[in-house]
Amino acid sequence: MNKFIMYMGLPGSGKSTLALKQKAYYEQLGYRVVYLSSDNIRRELYGSEEVQREPYKVFERMLQRALAALKREYTIVLYDATNLSSKRRTNLLKQLRQGNPNLECVVEVVLVPLETCVYRNFKRERVVSFSAIMKMFKSFQCPHRFEGWNKIELVYTDWPNAIDKEDLVEMALNFDQSCPSHRENLYEHITRTVDFLNSNYLFSIIQAVELMLLEWALFYHDFGKLYTQTDRNKKGEKTYFKRDGKYLPNMHYYGHDCASAYLWLTSSSVVYFLKEESMSQEEVIEIANIIQYHMEKL
């Protein structure tokens, strides 16, 4: 049976390094391995991987090469790009499975703290701009089974530098959300949300595991605001609101839900749970999905 492996992560997370290691491993096992990299395709099309125009041409070529490769038996396709969009991942799997209904599809989510990605990026020969990395950070969407995966694997390449929960708490304690809907500081808002769950949930119908998932999701659900605050709305305008007789800049937090999910996945809390085996990868992923969809109507 053929296999499709997608690598997902921010620039500097180590996706390509992992993919090339796995390429060598599978080749030793006797598989025919086809490695597809968006950077390599850009170099083919435009002469340089730094050229970012017309991305649809890049990913159309990657799709066609993947489909062609999967026509042969005993083939593994390694698909290396940032792959941060849930919608695009879902559509890709649907197209791949049209002619390969039994195709095994795996996604490797390569995770390092945001600060590590930025540091590694600026040490590389090809540097992605800081603004581009932050845009990706705010659009990160953790995979979920509903996308069509047989397996979702979390891969950590920088355990020691996981984001410490206490550092996030300290920053949140002094963080004024500065918007009409939140008068309290960020940490007060987070703890009130957790307290609301514990005082209002119907414990007669909830299992302990479900409560644990919800509690951790609520605890991390808004830490992304620390990284996404802006005084401009989507139109690029500054707006103001009145508090205690004073007009203050109205802050916005676009993408904080996705950023919060990433902070959870790269946190010291997750590192501890996975090392101690007190939480499974499936539970960690479920919490990330609760966080990143907490602004949506369910």
Side-chain angles (χ1 to χ4, degrees), residues 198-236:
N198 289 318
S199 60
N200 289 275
Y201 216 95
L202 298 176
F203 295 107
S204 59
I205 62 171
I206 187 173
Q207 297 180 2
V209 172
E210 292 172 335
L211 179 61
M212 175 192 69
L213 299 183
L214 286 170
E215 283 180 329
W216 280 107
L218 289 178
F219 187 78
Y220 272 86
H221 83 283
D222 264 0
F223 280 133
K225 289 182 175 179
L226 296 167
Y227 293 76
T228 59
Q229 187 183 68
T230 176
D231 63 355
R232 306 277 177 165
N233 63 19
K234 290 183 177 180
K235 296 180 180 179

Side-chain angles (χ1 to χ4, degrees), residues 158-160 268-279:
D158 191 21
W159 281 112
S268 59
S269 302
V270 169
V271 169
Y272 174 80
F273 291 140
L274 292 179
K275 281 188 174 181
E276 296 297 317
E277 298 184 351
S278 56
M279 190 180 287

Side-chain angles (χ1 to χ4, degrees), residues 125-138:
E125 189 172 321
R126 183 179 75 87
V127 175
V128 179
S129 70
F130 179 72
S131 61
I133 292 177
M134 290 304 296
K135 184 177 180 180
M136 293 183 213
F137 173 62
K138 292 184 283 186

